[in-house]
Every structure is written in C-alpha cells, then in structure tokens.
Amino acid sequence: MPLLKRMRLGPETSISDNNHQAWDVFSAVVDNYGDIGVCWRLSRQLVAEYRINVRLWVDCLASFQKICPEIDPLQQKQQCHGVEIRQWTDPFPSVEPADVVVEAFGCKLPANYVEAMASGGRRHIWINLEYLSAEEWVDSYHGLISPHPQLPLAKHFFFPGFSPMTGGLLVEKGLADRRRNFQACLSLKEEFWRGIGLPVPENEETRVSLFCYENKAVSNLFSGWAKGKPPVVCLVPEGVATEQIERFFGHSSPVPGNMFKKGGLTVCVISFLEQDSYDTLLWACDFNFVRGEDSFVRAQLAAQPMAWQIYPQEEGAHWPKLNAFLARYCCGLSPDAAERLVAFSEKWNRGEADGADWEKLWIHRAELENHARDWADKQEEKEDLATNLVNFCNSKLK
Ligand code: TRH
C-alpha cells in the first residue's frame, strides 16, 4: 500500500451538482469479466442517476461485448446507454482529463494522461477504486489519500464494502422494487424463461445457476444431483465447467442450447447473458453459484441462497476474505444452517464439496431463503457505492 493519509469524507451534495460534470472511468479487462462488469455498472448508474458525462476507457472491447452485446469491438468510440465508450489504446490519445478520474482495480492510468492531469492547471479528483472485501481493515483504509511521488497529484483510495465506514455496494435506484416485482409475478418469470429458451420450472424441481472457476467439485455435485431428489436443473453459461460437462455426459464441446440429462440432473448450457438479464437469471433461480466480485454482489441482491467461489489469489490471500464475508453473512442464521453454509463454502472453494454436502446444506432451504431476503434488504437500505462516490468527489471538487 503506498503512502496514505487519513482524511474525512465530505458532506452530501444534491444531484444537480453533477450536471455536466465529466468523469473518466478506466477499466482493464485482466482475465475475466468482473473488472469491466463493475465499471460498466458504475458508469451506467452515474449517467442514469447523476446525469454525469461518463467516458469509459476499456482495453478489451471483445470481452466487454460478452456482457453487453451492443458493444461493437471495432469501434474506437461509441455511445451505449448514455456512456461514451472509448477503446483504451497504447499509445494513449491526447485528451483533456475529466473532473473525476476513476482508476479501477489498480489498472494504472496512461502516463501521458497523468501528466495532462498535473499540467492542465485545474483540479482533478483521482479515485483508485479497489476490490470489494468484507474484511475489517477496509474500514480504516477507505478514503485514504496517496500523494504522487513526483507530480502535484494525489490518489484517493475508495473501497467497496459491507460496513458503513466503506464505500458500500453498487445498488442502482429501484433495483429492489424491480426484483421483488419479478419474484412475485409468475407471468414475468415465465416470460423470462421462454425468452432465454428454457422450459418453465416444474413444481418440485430445484433450479440452480452455476458460474464458477475451474472447480473439481462440479463433478461431485453433478453425481450427487443425478442420484438425489428432487430433480435439479443446472444452468451453465457457455465456457464454464466445460470439461466436467464433457466428462460427466460424454459429450464433447457443449454449446448453448445443449441439454444433458442423467438421473435427476439436467444440465442446460446457456449463452452468456447481457448483464441485466444475468441479474434476472439470479432472481429466477432457487440457488446461485457465483464467483469473483460482481456476480457475487448481484447474487446477494437477488435475495436467493448462494455459494461464492472467490477469485483465488497467490499464497491463499483469498481465504481471510472468504471467511470475513461468511462471518458477516452468517449472522442471524441458526448455528446448524450457518455451520453447513460455512462448511459447504469452504469445501466448494477447495474443490471438495459433494452431493452429501449439498444435501446437508439444502435441508435448510427455507431458512436460507428467508435469510437471503433479509440480507438483501439490509444491503439495499444502505447508501450505495455510486452515491457515496459522487458525494465524496463533490466534497473534494468544492
Ligand atoms: O468474471 P469474474 O471471474 O471476474 C473476476 C473478479 O472480478 C475478480 O475479482 C477479478 O480479479 C478478476 O475478474 C479479474 O467474475 P465476476 O466478478 O462475477 O464478473 C462477471 C461479470 O460478468 C459480472 O458483471 C456479471 C457478468 N455476466 C453477464 O453479464 N452475463 C453472464 O451470463 C454471466 C455468467 C456473467
């Protein structure tokens, strides 16, 4: 962590303060979809709720297109949902830096852009948007400032998180109402399933979505679900758990639309969905396996039971993060349900969970469902990340 100074967050400001404010959001795709997933969600929210002029710089438009099919990977500059999307090229073009500059997940701003920030004679707020963690140390690092070693600039560290001392979670206005409305309405659910080419769930079936990293436990779960009751329908986005599907069903190169059946288990391979439709999928399933950062948050806001596969880090740095989340999430669950969820989560992340672990967890289905609803309600009551970020930047720009 670079040199940081403690600072106080600023007072609230009204929406009109942000009219015509310009923000640059920088996102490097790295290896997956989480970084662009978060930046895209944040950018859309800044435009829709704060009328901010957002330029989103992305280094890999092809990956972006996976979660937003409207993106044309060949266009250097395009508009989408009110956001100006720019290809982040090297060398980086000479542009006027925005009022607020968001460097997401340590993606390292282009050197000429940083120099332009320092030499333009006007104030820029430079935000380093960090990864989400439920760990307690985040409270004291959120909002700290790190001066640039040579230039008259400083970065502000902005941490998403679960406590009120952090930047919060990305939760758009009206999300909870849309989700509740959907979950209470049979015809909306039927329309959704038909829209993605899947049958409407049968009464006794458990419908599960599976978005994970390489995980040996998938085969064990498939075996357990195939032998067990009630029937499980498992929806797997293309490219996920491919080897296990191939081995378990003896079918090479599964593609969207394929449906495989063994005993009580049906696996449906589905296309990658546009980000909002993926949210709806999480709302519609009985249980969601999610990963990384953004699907993990969206599964919580879907108010359904879930299991998280955390992004594995070197030297096991991810284990305290997983435990910190489970400690927060399990508060309020009965000791037995909490124990089962922790055991299942740990084994799932070690690639060791199996059908028996699933059964022991799913015995608590009703309690897990109530708890997931309470948890989502609590997250939605808090101030959301975009609002906290806008207020923070406005207090600095004054
Ligand atoms: O893709 P991820 O594994 O991303 C990860 C994490 O962010 C991790 O912290 C980071 O270090 C690493 O990337 C580089 O998982 P995540 O975070 O859930 O992001 C997936 C995004 O894809 C999310 O925005 C949801 C979206 N998505 C869709 O839009 N449609 C889909 O069908 C699916 C399965 C996902």
Side-chain angles (χ1 to χ4, degrees), residues 30-35 37 41 67 131 211 213 237 271-275 278 291-296 311:
V30 195
D31 54 353
N32 285 312
Y33 308 103
D35 296 21
R41 217 180 269 297
I67 62 167
Y131 286 108
F211 183 42
Y213 301 115
S271 300
F272 235 73
L273 300 174
E274 180 273 321
Q275 209 178 34
Y278 179 63
R291 71 184 204 189
E293 174 152 337
D294 192 52
S295 60
F296 163 57
Y311 188 77

Side-chain angles (χ1 to χ4, degrees), residues 217 220-221 340-341 343-345 347-348 352-363:
N220 301 340
L221 279 182
R340 294 304 175 195
L341 182 58
F344 186 85
S345 302
K347 285 178 115 181
W348 175 239
E352 290 167 2
D354 61 16
D357 297 312
W358 167 259
E359 270 181 32
K360 286 180 203 154
L361 176 70
W362 209 224
I363 285 175

Side-chain angles (χ1 to χ4, degrees), residues 73-91:
L74 301 176
Q75 292 292 328
Q76 300 257 320
K77 182 174 170 180
Q78 57 201 297
Q79 283 291 127
C80 193
H81 294 247
V83 179
E84 183 181 325
I85 314 292
R86 299 288 292 263
Q87 170 83 56
W88 178 350
T89 52
D90 182 17

Side-chain angles (χ1 to χ4, degrees), residues 165-367:
M165 301 287 287
T166 67
L169 300 176
L170 277 175
V171 185
E172 328 64 283
K173 302 250 173 325
L175 178 73
D177 288 343
R178 284 200 300 282
R179 190 255 303 159
R180 285 195 196 101
N181 189 30
F182 175 88
Q183 288 176 331
C185 178
L186 192 61
S187 64
L188 282 179
K189 289 192 225 174
E190 288 177 351
E191 194 187 318
F192 171 71
W193 291 123
R194 276 195 284 270
I196 61 165
L198 289 173
V200 171
E202 312 248 331
N203 271 343
E204 74 284 12
E205 117 187 11
T206 302
R207 194 161 280 199
V208 165
S209 77
L210 177 67
F211 183 42
C212 60
Y213 301 115
E214 279 285 319
N215 192 327
K216 290 200 193 90
V218 171
S219 312
N220 301 340
L221 279 182
F222 281 178
S223 301
W225 287 336
K227 285 185 211 131
K229 276 187 187 156
V232 171
V233 173
C234 177
L235 313 179
V236 189
E238 56 182 322
V240 173
T242 306
E243 263 182 56
Q244 279 107 335
I245 295 174
E246 289 180 339
R247 236 179 299 125
F248 196 80
F249 294 100
H251 185 288
S252 61
S253 314
V255 290
N258 283 162
M259 212 178 259
F260 306 106
K261 225 174 149 25
K262 202 182 254 188
L265 170 66
T266 307
V267 165
C268 305
V269 180
I270 59 171
S271 300
F272 235 73
L273 300 174
E274 180 273 321
Q275 209 178 34
D276 290 342
S277 302
Y278 179 63
D279 272 347
T280 315
L281 180 79
L282 298 173
W283 301 347
C285 284
D286 302 307
F287 191 95
N288 296 302
F289 288 85
V290 285
R291 71 184 204 189
E293 174 152 337
D294 192 52
S295 60
F296 163 57
V297 173
R298 303 311 280 190
Q300 293 169 59
L301 300 175
Q304 298 287 35
M306 53 162 232
W308 177 34
Q309 187 176 10
I310 189 168
Y311 188 77
Q313 284 175 273
E314 275 168 29
E315 294 170 17
H318 54 290
W319 288 109
K321 266 177 105 170
L322 175 66
N323 293 334
F325 171 70
L326 288 170
R328 281 185 199 270
Y329 186 82
C330 288
C331 263
L333 273 174
S334 68
D336 196 37
E339 194 184 313
R340 294 304 175 195
L341 182 58
V342 170
F344 186 85
S345 302
E346 285 180 355
K347 285 178 115 181
W348 175 239
N349 276 277
R350 289 187 201 286
E352 290 167 2
D354 61 16
D357 297 312
W358 167 259
E359 270 181 32
K360 286 180 203 154
L361 176 70
W362 209 224
I363 285 175
H364 299 284
R365 176 176 181 167
E367 185 182 344

Side-chain angles (χ1 to χ4, degrees), residues 29 36 40 56 58 60-68 71 85:
V29 164
I36 181 58
W40 178 226
L56 172 59
V58 186
C60 178
L61 292 174
S63 296
F64 188 6
Q65 190 190 32
K66 253 331 234 180
I67 62 167
C68 178
I71 295 297
I85 314 292

